[in-house]
Amino acid sequence: MRRGKTDALLSVRGVSRRFGGVQALEEVSFEVRPGLIKGIIGPNGAGKSTLFNLIAGDFPPNVGEIWFNSHVITGLAPHAVAALGIARTFQTTRLFEHMTVLENVMVGRHVRSRTGFTGSILKTPGARAEERAVQARAGEILDLFGLDRYAAHSAGDLAFGIKRKVEFARAVASEPALLLLDEPAAGLNIAETRELSSLIATVKNLGITVLLVEHDMSLVMNISDEILVLNEGRKLIEGAPRDIQRNPDVISVYLGEDECSSSAT
Amino acid sequence: MAARRYIPLAIFIVLLAVVQITVSLAGANYYLTQLTMSLYYALIAVGLCLFMGYAGQVSMGHAGFFGIGAYVQAVVTTSNLLPFKDAGAVRFLDSIGFLIHGKTTLGQPVLYVSPWLALLFALLITVGIAFLIGVPVLKLKGHYLAMATLGFNVIVLTLVLGVKPFGGADGLSGVPPFALVPGVAVSGRFDARVGNYYIAAVLLILGIVVAMNLVRSRVGRALRAIHGNESAAGSLGINTSRYKLYTFVLSAVFAALGGCFLAHYNAAIGPSDIDIMKSVRFVAIVAVGGMDSIWGVVYSGIILTFISLRQVFQSYDEIFFALILIVVMLFSPRGFFRYEYVKNALGKLRARLRKERAG
Ligand SMILES: Nc1ncnc2c1ncn2[C@@H]1O[C@H](COP(=O)(O)OP(=O)(O)OP(=O)(O)O)[C@@H](O)[C@H]1O
Ligand SMILES: [Mg+2]
């Protein structure tokens, strides 16, 4: 049996994925070391979200393997990947709109609790105690994110920026080892982006490793420990933020894309 | 907080008693027959509410599960085992008290399986079939799922009509009373009407409590999450296909349980009880009740079934249910009898009264 002996938390090895005629990812390999924030940047259509979907188990890669905590996770269903400690947010927010903010975050505790059908129906003392613990922990997470005053609000009624924050809080509630954030700053105003940046730092301090896809360059450059650049499905370069900013290839990719990215923001 | 949950339950119990007492005092006990049947149908609707309103799926085949319960119960409790009384299995069941020695109306001795054992058997078969059907079918969504479950209902109906022991077009009759405890039996006897009304009420209340506990739990939250956004639910570690499957099976058990008891209560079961229009009816009841409102579904189940059994619509009964389904879908897809609607209306009324008093 092959061993994935490495000090990386996540290791993506030669992963490719095609959709019909589109080669969304081609031979992408990289590692994420624990405790760091790794930024992923690249023009629209570079394959960033596809990469997240592959890691999260939405669909398998055509070629390549993904290792997490020295387990192969390629081919696992999303819920199984989540159970191993990977949480995510989506590029377009996916909240449970008819549930309250507190309930949304309580769903985030799913992998950290275990009451099943029988325990729920019989309302066993264990089930009750667990339910109280889930609610208490979700309340703490809401406090941490400054969302406590929205606890009883229906998630569907919230302003856009708050919705994004709830989705972030819901993912953090599962206390994952690895958190995938797909363009968390998209659509946020300057104040909200600043708050997001400090929340990501807070999450890092909780010991959660973060993989961050982001178009907001100042955010991603300031907060990331390392950066990976994707372009047209391929890895262009990987390195420290200051080296990436100066890299001529990166500059030319982004200059060529200048109109696109400025119209997108 | 916890006590407030039980207020609707207390109200419901009081209402049930008030209805019975009023009906009996008015000397109109014949109403109790239809009311009792309505309570059993409401139980089925509560189960379907879990699958539709909470897990956000659809089943147009629950009359099929109702039929499996009722028919298995009827076949098992009406098969005379006397000719096989020397077979090892029959002797064993007899020795542990699971067989009943009785007499036909003509006074001939017969040997029947105890309804309790039949019930266990019927529910196990239902669970097995629900798993077998659920695993492939629940991969589908929306209309596809509706079509596939409808197909299941058609298969059950066709089998019942075609397989001889199920009685064909005549169905099965002569289902004996089901003695739950000595002196208390599920049966349609005239002098047992009041007792049977309360048997059905107790079963329905148990079903409501099971459903309420389930929806207010980690599992219920997971189901609503699946309903809200299946991919997000999966990304948070919810095994969406397993939760949908278990809920499907549980709702099938509710339907089968209703079928088992009704088979004893009516002493009969026939193919017209399990055709696809009955499945449409269950869906209509859940839709009117507000999909994810257990109490709404309880009341809509009782009221609509009762109206229908009173033959208010005569031969237009099926049209009535199809029509209300269309109306609900067009004008109020989240149902009519929603608690929040009542609450909002009361709130508005209160605000207006306050204003009038102030002004
Ligand atoms: N599920 C899918 N089915 C078909 N094509 C897809 C699918 N997901 C992604 N693609 C295609 O793969 C390519 C990469 O898309 P992806 O969403 O990964 O890009 P991205 O880097 O996240 O872009 P953006 O910055 O716009 O979010 C695009 O051409 C896209 O159209
Ligand atoms: Mg993307």
Side-chain angles (χ1 to χ4, degrees):
Chain A
M1 209 192 121
R2 287 161 304 158
R3 292 284 301 161
K5 197 74 190 127
T6 151
D7 57 356
L9 179 66
L10 181 80
S11 164
V12 174
R13 302 181 184 175
V15 158
S16 300
R17 173 74 205 199
R18 139 186 309 280
F19 295 108
V22 180
Q23 190 71 43
L25 282 177
E26 195 162 5
E27 291 279 318
V28 172
S29 299
F30 67 95
E31 297 199 329
V32 183
R33 281 179 292 143
L36 302 186
I37 297 177
K38 183 153 197 156
I40 301 180
I41 61 171
N44 294 115
K48 306 179 295 294
S49 296
T50 302
L51 181 62
F52 272 16
N53 292 338
L54 289 177
I55 297 169
D58 284 359
F59 37 71
N62 300 122
V63 196
E65 279 180 346
I66 300 168
W67 292 69
F68 178 68
N69 259 336
S70 47
H71 295 285
V72 181
I73 59 165
T74 19
L76 290 187
H79 69 87
V81 174
L84 290 174
I86 300 182
R88 72 177 300 187
T89 64
F90 297 89
Q91 188 166 344
T92 47
T93 315
R94 299 185 187 170
L95 287 183
F96 309 123
E97 306 243 321
H98 287 304
M99 297 167 73
T100 65
V101 169
L102 178 66
E103 286 172 330
N104 267 269
V105 175
M106 285 172 80
V107 176
R109 297 297 294 166
H110 189 85
V111 290
R112 296 279 165 188
S113 45
R114 53 192 319 146
T115 305
F117 276 75
T118 325
S120 295
I121 287 172
L122 298 179
K123 240 176 158 184
T124 57
R128 288 170 198 235
E130 186 179 81
E131 188 68 7
R132 277 194 298 275
V134 164
Q135 186 162 350
R137 189 76 187 101
E140 287 168 21
I141 303 277
L142 287 183
D143 288 342
L144 181 69
F145 280 76
L147 287 166
D148 36 320
R149 82 189 109 130
Y150 298 105
H153 288 227
S154 184
D157 299 339
L158 301 171
F160 178 82
I162 310 290
K163 280 190 181 174
R164 297 232 92 167
K165 210 152 81 165
V166 173
E167 195 190 34
F168 188 9
R170 185 179 71 182
V172 169
S174 69
E175 293 176 39
L178 177 67
L179 177 61
L180 315 175
L181 297 174
D182 197 348
E183 300 195 24
L188 298 189
N189 62 33
I190 296 172
E192 288 170 332
T193 305
R194 201 175 303 131
E195 197 191 353
L196 171 72
S197 168
S198 84
L199 281 173
I200 296 175
T202 307
V203 162
K204 179 187 176 180
N205 286 335
L206 293 174
I208 297 174
T209 308
V210 178
L211 202 50
L212 170 70
V213 165
E214 191 44 70
H215 281 299
D216 183 326
M217 283 305 149
S218 75
L219 171 68
V220 78
M221 291 297 170
N222 279 326
I223 206 171
S224 303
D225 299 297
E226 284 174 5
I227 289 188
L228 166 75
V229 187
L230 287 180
N231 186 36
E232 295 179 351
R234 290 173 168 277
K235 176 162 110 177
L236 192 66
I237 187 173
E238 204 179 354
R242 69 178 71 223
D243 301 330
I244 299 292
Q245 272 167 310
R246 277 188 301 222
N247 185 286
D249 292 339
V250 176
I251 293 169
S252 79
V253 162
Y254 271 89
L255 282 180
E257 277 282 322
D258 218 43
E259 294 137 44
C260 281
S261 51
S262 57
S263 65
T265 40
Chain B
M1 182 67 205
R4 279 185 61 178
R5 286 182 183 178
Y6 296 102
I7 293 176
L9 189 61
I11 294 174
F12 182 61
I13 292 171
V14 169
L15 275 177
L16 285 172
V18 167
V19 166
Q20 181 268 316
I21 293 167
T22 314
V23 164
S24 293
L25 284 180
N29 264 356
Y30 48 88
Y31 278 119
L32 288 181
T33 303
Q34 284 122 6
L35 281 168
T36 303
M37 290 173 71
S38 304
L39 297 179
Y40 285 126
Y41 278 107
L43 174 72
I44 300 163
V46 168
L48 189 57
C49 162
L50 294 175
F51 184 63
M52 286 182 54
Y54 285 87
Q57 310 299 305
V58 62
S59 169
M60 297 289 263
H62 264 51
F65 291 118
F66 170 84
I68 290 171
Y71 268 98
V72 172
Q73 187 79 17
V75 165
V76 173
T77 54
T78 55
S79 300
N80 185 3
L81 295 182
L82 209 54
F84 314 103
K85 71 175 192 309
D86 295 323
V90 174
R91 283 227 309 264
F92 172 71
L93 287 178
D94 200 9
S95 68
I96 57 172
F98 279 153
L99 298 185
I100 293 175
H101 296 264
K103 281 202 171 65
T104 65
T105 39
L106 301 175
Q108 284 155 336
V110 282
L111 187 58
Y112 289 135
V113 172
S114 141
W116 277 113
L117 188 61
L119 182 69
L120 186 70
F121 187 60
L123 295 184
L124 283 178
I125 288 194
T126 305
V127 167
I129 292 176
F131 266 109
L132 280 178
I133 297 291
V135 168
V137 154
L138 292 176
K139 295 201 172 84
L140 305 172
K141 292 188 200 324
H143 333 34
Y144 300 103
L145 180 58
M147 296 300 272
T149 45
L150 197 74
F152 160 72
N153 198 155
V154 171
I155 292 171
V156 174
L157 182 59
T158 313
L159 283 178
V160 157
L161 284 169
V163 177
K164 209 155 176 216
F166 292 132
D170 297 332
L172 293 170
S173 54
V175 183
F178 179 176
L180 297 171
V181 289
V184 182
V186 180
S187 86
R189 281 179 33 199
F190 297 127
D191 54 356
R193 268 176 172 156
V194 174
N196 264 273
Y197 173 81
Y198 284 106
I199 291 173
V202 167
L203 190 68
L204 174 58
I205 287 167
L206 282 177
I208 293 170
V209 170
V210 164
M212 285 205 310
N213 284 352
L214 189 71
V215 303
R216 289 168 180 151
S217 71
R218 173 175 179 263
V219 172
R221 210 163 38 241
L223 294 178
R224 288 161 64 211
I226 293 170
H227 191 176
N229 192 309
E230 197 166 333
S231 67
S235 82
L236 293 165
I238 296 169
N239 188 340
T240 53
S241 41
R242 184 190 294 166
Y243 273 80
K244 287 193 281 186
L245 180 62
Y246 285 6
T247 309
F248 183 65
V249 173
L250 183 65
S251 71
V253 167
F254 272 64
L257 207 54
C260 293
F261 276 73
L262 269 171
H264 286 288
Y265 187 66
N266 292 333
I269 177 77
S272 67
D273 295 327
I274 70 164
D275 73 22
I276 54 175
M277 280 314 291
K278 288 292 189 292
S279 288
V280 171
R281 166 178 302 214
F282 296 147
V283 173
I285 287 171
V286 174
V288 170
M291 294 290 189
D292 63 345
S293 154
I294 290 175
W295 285 111
V297 169
V298 167
Y299 287 106
S300 89
I302 295 173
I303 295 170
L304 294 181
T305 311
F306 183 72
I307 292 175
S308 152
L309 289 170
R310 289 302 305 161
Q311 307 225 310
V312 172
F313 303 100
Q314 296 162 6
S315 51
Y316 300 110
D317 212 39
E318 312 291 24
I319 298 183
F320 167 68
F321 279 100
L323 216 62
I324 55 174
L325 192 55
I326 294 173
V327 170
V328 172
M329 289 305 146
L330 279 178
F331 299 109
S332 182
R334 299 198 62 213
F336 284 129
F337 291 2
R338 296 188 68 80
Y339 176 59
E340 65 205 52
Y341 294 171
V342 180
K343 209 168 63 178
N344 288 348
L346 283 177
K348 268 186 205 148
L349 196 72
R350 218 173 286 145
R352 225 170 96 187
L353 287 175
R354 212 176 298 135
K355 217 186 279 168
E356 270 168 20
R357 216 173 296 150

